[in-house]
Amino acid sequence: MGPREKELPQGILVSETHWTGRDGHGHKSGSIELRDIAGKPVLALSGVWSVPTAAALSRQIADLSLPSQGQVGIDLTQVSVMDTSGAWLIHGLMVDLKKNGAAPTLENLKEQHAPLMHLVEGAVANPDESIHSKSTSPLRLLEITGEATIAALSKGRELTNFVGMLTVSFLRAVKSPSRLRPISIVNQLELTGLRAIPIIGLLSFLIGVTLAYLMADQFRAYGLDVFTVNVLGIFVLREAGVLITAIVIAGRSGSAFTAEIGTMKVNEELDALRTLGLDPVEVLVLPRVLALVITLPFLAFWADLMGLLGGGMMTMLVLDMTPLQFVQQLKEAVNLKTFMVGLVKAPVHAYIIAVVGCFEGFKVQRSAESVGKQTTTSVVEAIFLVIVATAAFSVMFSVLGI
């Protein structure tokens, strides 16, 4: 039906394009009317604005004489059903009005329809790069590199701010020890320390066995069997023990920190803490960091013992050494400095793992998907930073001649 003129109680109907009845699929259709209410043009929308009615609505909009200037209201009071296609049509209508020189405004947008409109507006404002042709030109590669660099710098700045907040909370707790939460710290000591002993011991033992077997097989070809013990002791005590422990704890406890804090954010428990006047960093982060800094050195020591035990057993089996010979050779190969060089890394690794785990937990958005994403991110970042710290320690010890 084409445009027509008629009087309405609400105002004067300037023009109307109205699709009555049902469309070809049996769905109720929508309508759009241009009215003049108190001197202001208003587009009154009603009915169903969805995929089945989109074609008919597009024809109605095309037949409509749109205002070319001034404020134009788009009244959604009578819209009963709307999906993404309907929201897209409405957004397109607003774009057309703006091109004509008018200033459109949405009026009486229902609460259940608002997310769809925001979704469409966001998609237009920030189109997904995947819908565009992906170019491999140097300019595009430079753009990708720049974006990644800016994202990394931004995350580094946020992480630095988080470390600053944690430092302030720690100094505040040192000044006023009553702020410390001994029950939370003891609970985290159990979760991150005692319950990690079996898996740390088993992995370290098996890695010691593997290292001893591989080294004995190689050294034996050159008649240097005895040096298997030397290399095993130095490698386990200086590097392998603490590194294996840190990687396992990053996957076990670091991910747990992220998931716990992230779930609390999803459930709005962090907001509840702030409402009660409590600092989430002081309540949640500080006990976890302190507990992990305490437990990781002990776990690293346990890993050293189990690694040497596993390597010693394999060495004695492969090289026909007695336990006394193994101990004597190990004593000649390593000393207290070798042990301390490895152990001094443990608190640093623990601090990195705990801070990254808690930091990513606070970055969780209010969705289950975000919890999983940030948990994965925290594990990857923690392991990466632990390896970087290990490399930095190696360079520093080499420069110092340790």
Side-chain angles (χ1 to χ4, degrees):
M1 183 178 294
R4 65 176 185 269
E5 309 289 335
K6 67 176 182 179
E7 291 281 339
L8 289 178
Q10 297 91 335
I12 301 175
L13 178 60
V14 177
S15 65
E16 176 188 14
T17 304
H18 189 84
W19 191 275
T20 58
R22 298 174 180 267
D23 61 9
H25 301 283
H27 298 281
K28 290 184 178 179
S29 298
S31 66
I32 179 170
E33 302 173 356
L34 177 59
R35 300 175 179 176
D36 188 339
I37 301 179
K40 175 185 175 181
V42 175
L43 291 170
L45 281 55
S46 62
V48 177
W49 286 66
S50 62
V51 171
T53 62
L57 289 168
S58 296
R59 291 194 295 269
Q60 294 180 45
I61 294 174
D63 292 340
L64 197 63
S65 299
L66 297 178
S68 58
Q69 59 183 357
Q71 294 286 336
V72 179
I74 301 179
D75 187 8
L76 307 178
T77 305
Q78 299 300 321
V79 175
S80 58
V81 177
M82 181 194 298
D83 63 9
T84 309
S85 61
W88 187 266
L89 286 173
I90 296 172
H91 179 77
L93 178 61
M94 295 180 67
V95 171
D96 291 340
L97 287 168
K98 291 178 181 178
K99 288 181 179 179
N100 284 351
T105 56
L106 290 180
E107 299 176 357
N108 302 316
L109 177 62
K110 296 181 180 178
E111 184 177 354
Q112 64 267 31
H113 298 157
L116 285 175
M117 293 302 305
H118 296 325
L119 179 66
V120 171
E121 292 171 358
V124 173
N126 302 292
D128 187 357
E129 290 184 0
S130 63
I131 65 176
H132 299 292
S133 58
K134 295 185 178 180
S135 172
T136 58
S137 64
L139 185 60
R140 176 55 183 159
L141 293 177
L142 181 62
E143 180 183 352
I144 294 173
T145 304
E147 291 175 352
T149 302
I150 292 174
L153 292 175
S154 177
K155 174 162 281 192
R157 183 186 62 184
E158 293 175 358
L159 185 58
T160 303
N161 291 338
F162 186 77
V163 170
M165 290 191 294
L166 177 60
T167 303
V168 170
S169 297
F170 176 72
L171 294 177
R172 198 160 49 210
V174 170
K175 183 179 179 181
S176 178
S178 61
R179 288 181 171 273
L180 290 174
R181 301 176 181 274
I183 296 178
S184 297
I185 296 175
V186 171
N187 180 52
Q188 292 299 325
L189 286 173
E190 178 187 357
L191 294 176
T192 61
L194 291 178
R195 297 190 183 184
I197 287 177
I199 185 64
I200 295 292
L202 178 61
L203 286 177
S204 300
F205 180 85
L206 294 177
I207 289 176
V209 169
T210 304
L211 288 174
Y213 172 75
L214 293 175
M215 289 186 295
D217 190 50
Q218 295 298 317
F219 284 130
R220 187 166 48 189
Y222 298 95
L224 303 173
D225 302 12
V226 69
F227 287 103
T228 301
V229 180
N230 296 48
V231 177
L232 176 69
I234 294 173
F235 182 66
V236 169
L237 293 179
R238 286 184 67 107
E239 302 294 343
V242 65
L243 184 59
I244 292 167
T245 303
I247 291 175
V248 172
I249 292 300
R252 184 184 180 278
S253 300
S255 60
F257 293 168
T258 304
E260 290 166 359
I261 295 176
T263 303
M264 293 181 70
K265 186 173 182 180
V266 172
N267 294 335
E268 300 183 354
E269 295 177 49
L270 298 183
D271 296 335
L273 285 175
R274 295 188 181 95
T275 302
L276 294 173
L278 300 175
D279 181 8
V281 175
E282 182 179 299
V283 175
L284 300 175
V285 180
L286 191 58
R288 286 171 167 80
V289 173
L290 292 177
L292 201 57
V293 169
I294 294 171
T295 58
L296 195 58
F298 290 100
L299 291 174
F301 175 69
W302 171 246
D304 290 342
L305 292 180
M306 295 303 295
L308 292 176
L309 178 61
M313 290 180 59
M314 180 55 65
T315 302
M316 288 182 280
L317 289 173
V318 175
L319 302 179
D320 295 326
M321 295 180 67
T322 64
L324 182 59
Q325 290 175 323
F326 176 81
V327 172
Q328 288 177 342
Q329 185 64 30
L330 183 64
K331 184 179 178 181
E332 294 177 4
V334 301
N335 51 35
L336 181 61
K337 183 179 72 173
T338 306
F339 170 71
M340 293 305 299
V341 164
L343 202 62
V344 75
K345 304 174 187 177
V348 178
H349 292 345
Y351 185 80
I352 291 172
I353 294 167
V355 168
V356 171
C358 296
F359 169 72
E360 293 297 338
F362 280 98
K363 286 182 67 65
V364 168
Q365 304 301 317
R366 299 186 186 276
S367 67
E369 179 185 5
S370 181
V371 175
K373 180 181 177 181
Q374 297 304 131
T375 300
T376 303
T377 302
S378 74
V379 174
V380 174
E381 287 181 354
I383 293 176
F384 172 76
L385 292 176
V386 162
I387 294 175
V388 169
T390 300
F393 273 116
S394 299
V395 173
M396 182 180 67
F397 291 149
S398 176
V399 171
L400 296 177
I402 298 177

